[in-house]
């Protein structure tokens, strides 16, 4: 009897380990089923132009969701990403409108520097001041959104005719045959993949999230790592702010309002654990793609935008419940193994 039990456990552990390691396969299967169902309802969904629109629509989401994922891996959250995007988009748009002769490419480092400054303030509150991430970034969400109104004053919108053509082409141009917006997302994804997988700092981010006590005993500078992920989050939000203004050819006081929900959804649905310590770039991209597919499908089948928000919320809940179940199962198997 004992021999039978021992023979049964290894395949179970192997199956669970394989499921955890390749959980992105599950997202791909969901995507394929969703694509098949929507295509039966509306064949136009499978057209190349439609998929090009979907990829364009999720490019900015991928950039910011990757930043959000790094924060969540350290057991944090950044609810201020939408406000940082809105504030940097407004400040950069005002600048380029005031100085139309300014090289458009300079707006990118300008936006990223502004975003990094805003992100470093979040990092100081959380890593330096010990404030809970959800409370600190909820506060800065309101502060940064309020600064948009303060900065813009009576002029609440910068319109397309006030922006030089070179600035608008930052997102819409396609000199290599692929829209710049997609190229920016690809570059950020590759950089994030290399950073998290092949650098010591990237590995430290996972260690801080998975086991803070072990990270402390190993001599990892935890506060510095936590500060760093919020700076990176602000940096990428600054880039997203520039691209947002260039793509939509306007900057308004409500730019990227509520965008934080989408970034959290893409990260969590893509397999980033809310308990910290796990998640990867491929999963986050798939999570963003799933959200993009759902949004596009609901539009094509003429369903109310309300259901898009409801679907995002439902996906977050399902992903969190599934993640908790997986973690609990893995812990039970691990404890059984150590007996």
């Amino acid at each position: 009897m004992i021999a039978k039990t021992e023979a049964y456990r290894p395949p179970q552990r192997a199956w669970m380990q394989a499921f955890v390691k390749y959980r992105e396969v599950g997202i791909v299967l969901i995507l394929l089923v969703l694509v098949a169902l929507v295509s039966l309802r509306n064949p136009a969904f499978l057209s190349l132009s439609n998929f090009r629109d979907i990829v364009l629509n999720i490019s900015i989401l991928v950039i910011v969701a990757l930043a959000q994922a790094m924060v969540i891996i350290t057991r944090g959250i950044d609810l201020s990403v939408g406000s940082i995007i809105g504030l940097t988009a407004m400040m950069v748009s005002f600048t380029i409108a005031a100085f139309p002769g300014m090289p458009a490419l300079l707006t990118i480092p300008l936006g990223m520097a502004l975003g990094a400054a805003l992100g470093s303030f979040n990092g100081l509150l959380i890593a330096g001041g010990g404030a809970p991430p959800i409370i600190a970034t909820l506060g800065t969400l309101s502060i940064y959104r309020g600064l948009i109104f303060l900065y813009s004053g009576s002029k609440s919108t910068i319109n397309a005719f006030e922006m030089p053509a070179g600035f608008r082409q930052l997102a819409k141009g396609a000199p290599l045959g692929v829209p710049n917006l997609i190229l920016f997302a690809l570059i950020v994804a590759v950089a994030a993949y290399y950073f998290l997988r092949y650098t010591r700092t990237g590995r430290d981010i996972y260690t801080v999230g998975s086991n803070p006590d072990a990270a402390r005993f190993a001599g990892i500078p935890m506060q510095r790592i936590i500060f760093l992920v919020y700076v990176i989050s602000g940096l990428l939000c600054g880039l997203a702010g520039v691209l947002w203004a260039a793509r939509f050819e306007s900057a308004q006081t409500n730019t990227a309002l509520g965008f934080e929900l989408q970034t959290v959804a893409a990260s969590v649905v893509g397999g980033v654990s809310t308990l910290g310590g796990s998640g990867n770039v491929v999963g986050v991209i798939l999570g963003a793609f799933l959200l993009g597919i759902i949004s596009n499908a609901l539009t094509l089948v003429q369903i109310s935008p309300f259901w898009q928000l409801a679907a995002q919320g439902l996906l977050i809940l399902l992903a969190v419940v599934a993640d908790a179940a997986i973690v609990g199962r893995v812990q039970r198997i691990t404890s059984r193994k150590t007996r």
Side-chain angles (χ1 to χ4, degrees):
M1 185 66 187
I2 293 175
K4 283 183 180 179
T5 304
E6 289 299 319
Y8 177 72
R9 283 179 180 171
Q12 186 184 36
R13 288 199 294 268
W15 178 84
M16 182 56 69
Q17 287 169 354
F19 180 79
V20 172
K21 189 174 182 180
Y22 302 106
R23 59 198 300 179
E24 292 79 16
V25 176
I27 305 175
V28 173
L29 292 176
I30 294 173
L31 279 170
L32 291 176
V33 171
L34 193 59
V35 167
L37 291 176
V38 179
S39 301
L40 290 175
R41 179 77 180 271
N42 190 333
F45 179 76
L46 277 181
S47 66
L48 283 178
S49 61
N50 189 50
F51 271 92
R52 181 178 179 275
D53 289 342
I54 292 173
V55 176
L56 272 174
N57 288 337
I58 67 166
S59 293
I60 292 177
L61 175 59
V62 166
I63 293 172
V64 185
L66 287 171
Q68 185 73 269
M70 291 187 206
V71 174
I72 295 176
I73 288 172
T74 62
R75 301 191 178 189
I77 192 167
D78 189 350
L79 296 179
S80 67
V81 292
S83 297
I84 295 178
I85 292 172
L87 183 54
T88 53
M90 183 64 80
M91 295 179 79
V92 167
S93 298
F94 262 88
T95 303
I96 198 69
F99 304 99
M102 173 182 171
L105 281 176
L106 282 183
T107 58
I108 294 176
L110 175 62
M112 293 176 76
L114 289 170
L118 298 171
S120 66
F121 183 64
N122 286 339
L124 285 174
L125 290 174
I126 296 163
I134 191 170
I135 301 299
T137 56
L138 189 61
T140 53
L141 176 153
S142 296
I143 293 172
Y144 297 158
R145 185 61 63 179
L147 286 176
I148 300 175
F149 288 92
L150 188 66
Y151 184 82
S152 58
S154 58
K155 187 174 176 57
S156 60
T157 304
I158 297 291
N159 294 303
F161 68 88
E162 298 174 87
M163 297 176 174
F167 178 72
R168 300 196 299 270
Q169 287 301 308
L170 280 179
K172 297 192 170 183
L176 302 177
V178 179
N180 290 338
L181 195 57
I182 296 176
L183 290 178
F184 275 113
L186 283 173
I187 292 171
V188 171
V190 171
Y193 180 84
Y194 180 84
F195 173 68
L196 288 173
R197 190 174 180 85
Y198 295 108
T199 68
R200 180 174 178 177
T201 305
R203 291 191 291 272
D204 287 348
I205 289 174
Y206 282 102
T207 307
V208 167
S210 62
N211 195 332
D213 292 332
R216 195 174 297 109
F217 286 128
I220 294 174
M222 288 186 55
Q223 304 309 315
R224 195 183 305 170
I225 293 293
I226 292 172
F227 176 78
L228 177 66
V229 294
Y230 285 94
V231 173
I232 293 174
S233 178
L235 189 81
L236 293 181
C237 287
L239 171 63
V242 175
L243 296 176
W244 190 297
R247 185 182 183 218
F248 296 106
E249 300 185 355
S250 72
Q252 301 173 338
T253 51
N254 63 351
T255 292
L257 187 66
F259 195 62
E260 54 277 352
L261 176 62
Q262 294 183 45
T263 64
V264 173
S267 301
V268 176
V269 171
V272 178
S273 174
T274 53
L275 302 176
S278 69
N280 61 57
V281 170
V282 175
V284 174
I285 293 173
L286 288 173
F289 195 55
L290 179 60
L291 293 180
I293 291 277
I294 291 173
S295 174
N296 183 270
L298 291 178
T299 303
L300 283 181
V301 297
Q302 299 179 342
I303 294 178
S304 166
F306 163 77
W307 290 107
Q308 182 178 335
L309 293 174
Q312 288 177 10
L314 182 62
L315 280 174
I316 292 176
L317 289 177
L318 289 175
V320 169
V321 170
D323 183 62
I326 290 170
V327 170
R329 185 68 176 162
V330 170
Q331 287 176 343
R332 283 195 295 275
I333 290 176
T334 304
S335 62
R336 216 182 290 166
K337 184 180 178 182
T338 55
R339 286 176 191 170

